[in-house]
Amino acid sequence: MRTYLITGGAGFIGSNFIIYLLEKYKRDIRVINIDKLTYAGNLENLKSVEKLDNYEFHKIDICDKEAISKLFAENQIDRVIHFAAESHVDRSIRDPEVFVKTNVLGTINLLNAAKLAWEREKGYIEDKVYIQVSTDEVYGSLEDDEGYFYETTPLDPHSPYSASKASADLLVKSYIDTYKFPAIITRCSNNYGPYQFPEKLIPLMINNALAGKKLPVYGRGQNIRDWLYVLDHAKAIDLVAEKGKLGEVYNVGGHNEKRNIEIVSIIIDTLLELLPADDPRRDLVSHDLITYVEDRKGHDYRYAIAPDKIKKDINWEPETPFHEGIKYTIKWYLENGQWMEHVTKGEYQHYYNQMYKI
Ligand code: NAD
Ligand code: TYD
């Protein structure tokens, strides 16, 4: 039975990935999820799998050398899927240090532990794979509306977040080049879907609109992101782990570019379409809530991926059209009000008040 070590599995993409993986492989695999449970980690996301006897959770910081080494010593791990990270650009602008700790030092700790254990076990047998889940933000910003990021695009990160992710990618590359460490790097575009923490654009706008709160759009809302449904991303990571070539980089995304203001308008229209006429929140949702606020410092203009390599080599392409994915996502948030209530208690209010002075 193959054993997966998933880091950051209580976060947005990690929890969606674990649910997908256990649904796909059922009892043929064992999943060990480790997560520090920062403000972004939430075990509620994993309610549907927590009782399975081939799933286990450990509250561990990836920077904790002893705990990570022990984990590798006590389990024969075949796949490492490394999601754990500080993931929000705005937080990295305010407090960069923790991004270096978790995203850079945490990654090298994991690399060292995997390398040591895998060398000790049998050498780098073919079946071991480490996936570094990275981001298209390491390529920097496309400054006009033409062109795409390719795997060969030079790294040029701008925010402390993307710089920490690029640093981690380079460390992974150095382990591939120096030790023939069996790793693959994936770089995806902006994900959306169920269980995303409401500091990110889409869930923040859904949550605010339902409460009749202002919708803070940075600058003039003209920045462009390439949106990827989280389940499509989960499928890509699984396929890369199975069919990807060791040592390679795969960009994951695909021709679903939208300006931020378009996204906010679609959210408002979709909420108005989905909310029943007698739901009191319906009267609160309105385009008048859109409020242009001070721009993000160093705001990257455009991210865009042409997923040619992953299509050609692995035959992956995004399956979910945005109009379907966003409808499904908004339905999920409407049906899971309690989840939103829980994650917006406490620290979130403090963050929101500091971040948004509106
Ligand atoms: P998230 O913030 O929702 O989840 C991160 C998880 O990591 C949380 O559960 C948190 O508790 C955990 N974590 C943080 N520090 C930790 C530590 N020191 N030790 C152990 N666990 C720790 O993030 P996400 O959106 O699910 O992103 C997952 C990965 O995908 C990240 O590496 C991120 O850089 C990358 N990524 C995300 C997006 C996106 O659109 N969300 C896009 C591209 C790449
Ligand atoms: P975000 O979800 O933080 O992802 P990233 O910065 O990693 O792309 O932001 C997506 C886009 O939305 C980005 O251009 C910034 C913008 N944005 C706003 O206009 N208002 C907001 O309140 C947030 C959180 C983001």
Side-chain angles (χ1 to χ4, degrees), residues 38-54:
T38 67
Y39 75 92
N42 184 358
L43 290 178
E44 253 181 280
N45 301 2
L46 295 154
K47 279 238 165 310
S48 62
V49 299
E50 68 185 7
K51 296 216 163 64
L52 299 176
D53 55 15
N54 54 338

Side-chain angles (χ1 to χ4, degrees), residues 5-7 34-36 58-75 77 80 82 84 105-117 130:
L5 174 65
I6 315 281
T7 73
I34 62 166
D35 196 298
K36 186 182 175 183
H58 302 272
K59 185 173 187 298
I60 290 177
D61 182 339
I62 52 164
C63 299
D64 183 340
K65 283 189 189 168
E66 218 174 290
I68 298 287
S69 306
K70 192 161 170 271
L71 204 71
F72 276 93
E74 289 176 356
N75 299 281
I77 289 162
V80 175
H82 179 31
L105 300 179
T107 296
I108 198 153
N109 193 30
L110 206 60
L111 288 170
N112 281 335
K115 175 178 167 291
L116 209 82
Y130 170 108

Side-chain angles (χ1 to χ4, degrees), residues 7-14 34-42 60-63 82-88 102-103 133-137 161 165 187-192 195-197 199-200 227 233:
T7 73
F12 163 50
I13 306 176
I34 62 166
D35 196 298
K36 186 182 175 183
L37 299 181
T38 67
Y39 75 92
N42 184 358
I60 290 177
D61 182 339
I62 52 164
C63 299
H82 179 31
F83 293 101
E86 287 293 333
S87 68
H88 191 39
T102 288
N103 300 1
V133 180
S134 185
T135 166
D136 59 1
E137 300 189 29
Y161 162 67
K165 292 295 289 186
R187 296 188 178 132
C188 68
S189 56
N190 287 56
N191 282 219
Y192 70 100
Y195 302 116
Q196 187 168 30
F197 192 78
E199 63 188 352
K200 305 284 183 351
W227 293 95
H233 185 201

Side-chain angles (χ1 to χ4, degrees), residues 88-90 137 190 199-201 204-205 216-218 223 225 227 260 296 299 303 356:
H88 191 39
V89 173
D90 290 323
E137 300 189 29
N190 287 56
E199 63 188 352
K200 305 284 183 351
L201 179 73
L204 186 144
M205 296 298 165
V217 175
Y218 299 163
N223 301 63
R225 297 293 183 263
W227 293 95
N260 294 337
R296 175 185 278 173
H299 199 170
Y303 304 143
Y356 299 97

Side-chain angles (χ1 to χ4, degrees), residues 121-146:
E121 267 176 38
K122 296 179 197 139
Y124 288 148
I125 58 165
E126 276 133 55
D127 199 38
K128 304 286 187 193
V129 182
Y130 170 108
I131 304 282
Q132 177 73 13
V133 180
S134 185
T135 166
D136 59 1
E137 300 189 29
V138 297
Y139 297 120
S141 176
L142 295 160
E143 285 312 317
D144 54 40
D145 297 349
E146 303 287 309

Side-chain angles (χ1 to χ4, degrees), residues 4 26 53 78-79 101 141 151 171 195-196 200 202 212 235 243 249 252 260 268 270 273 281 291 314 344 355:
Y4 286 74
K26 305 240 162 15
D53 55 15
D78 305 295
R79 297 271 184 280
K101 279 192 190 136
S141 176
E151 288 78 0
L171 284 169
Y195 302 116
Q196 187 168 30
K200 305 284 183 351
I202 289 181
K235 289 179 184 174
K243 297 186 185 166
V249 174
V252 188
N260 294 337
I268 297 165
T270 312
E273 182 193 325
R281 293 172 299 178
T291 308
I314 299 177
T344 50
M355 178 72 206

